[in-house]
């Protein structure tokens, strides 16, 4: 690239901070971090309850925790899709 040409990626070059990129992504898709946080909470709860699972087999306990974590993430993604559809088609109708 010569020095006289304007860069094609000016938007990405101006935001060099990883934190600013992450915050911008969170503002664009707010339900992704909610899904990630819910997944982390379910995993933390599962690890906590692992000690007090009683006579339940380890594999059954892990399957239940995996299904709960996946269900939370899929629910958050579904809510995000519904929210974006609402914003696009109801709040800002195209004329």
């Amino acid at each position: 690239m010569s020095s006289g040409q304007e860069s094609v990626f000016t938007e990405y070059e101006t935001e060099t901070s990883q934190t600013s990129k992450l915050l911008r992504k969170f503002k664009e898709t707010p339900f992704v971090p909610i899904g990630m946080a819910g997944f982390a909470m379910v995993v933390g709860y599962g690890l906590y309850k692992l000690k007090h699972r009683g006579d339940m087999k380890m594999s059954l306990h892990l399957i239940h925790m995996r299904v709960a974590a996946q269900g939370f993430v899929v629910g958050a993604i579904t809510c995000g899709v519904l929210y974006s559809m609402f914003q696009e088609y109801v709040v800002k109708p195209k004329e």
Side-chain angles (χ1 to χ4, degrees), residues 47-78:
L47 289 173
Y48 174 74
K49 293 301 280 185
L50 186 64
K51 201 177 214 183
H52 307 289
R53 69 181 188 274
D55 59 352
M56 185 187 300
K57 290 184 178 181
M58 172 75 89
S59 61
L60 187 62
H61 175 74
L62 292 176
I63 289 171
H64 286 170
M65 290 299 108
R66 178 183 63 88
V67 168
Q70 284 179 336
F72 196 94
V73 171
V74 168
I77 291 172
T78 303

Side-chain angles (χ1 to χ4, degrees), residues 26-32 34 75-92:
F26 284 173
K27 288 177 184 175
E28 289 174 3
T29 56
F31 286 95
V32 172
I34 292 171
I77 291 172
T78 303
C79 288
V81 168
L82 291 174
Y83 176 76
S84 67
M85 287 174 63
F86 176 77
Q87 291 293 331
E88 187 173 333
Y89 296 113
V90 176
V91 176
K92 296 186 239 177

Side-chain angles (χ1 to χ4, degrees), residues 14-50:
T14 57
E15 293 185 20
T16 57
S17 170
Q18 292 293 331
T19 306
S20 65
K21 288 181 184 178
L22 188 63
L23 290 174
R24 182 176 51 87
K25 284 291 186 184
F26 284 173
K27 288 177 184 175
E28 289 174 3
T29 56
F31 286 95
V32 172
I34 292 171
M36 290 169 40
F39 175 79
M41 288 178 9
V42 169
V43 168
Y45 177 74
L47 289 173
Y48 174 74
K49 293 301 280 185
L50 186 64

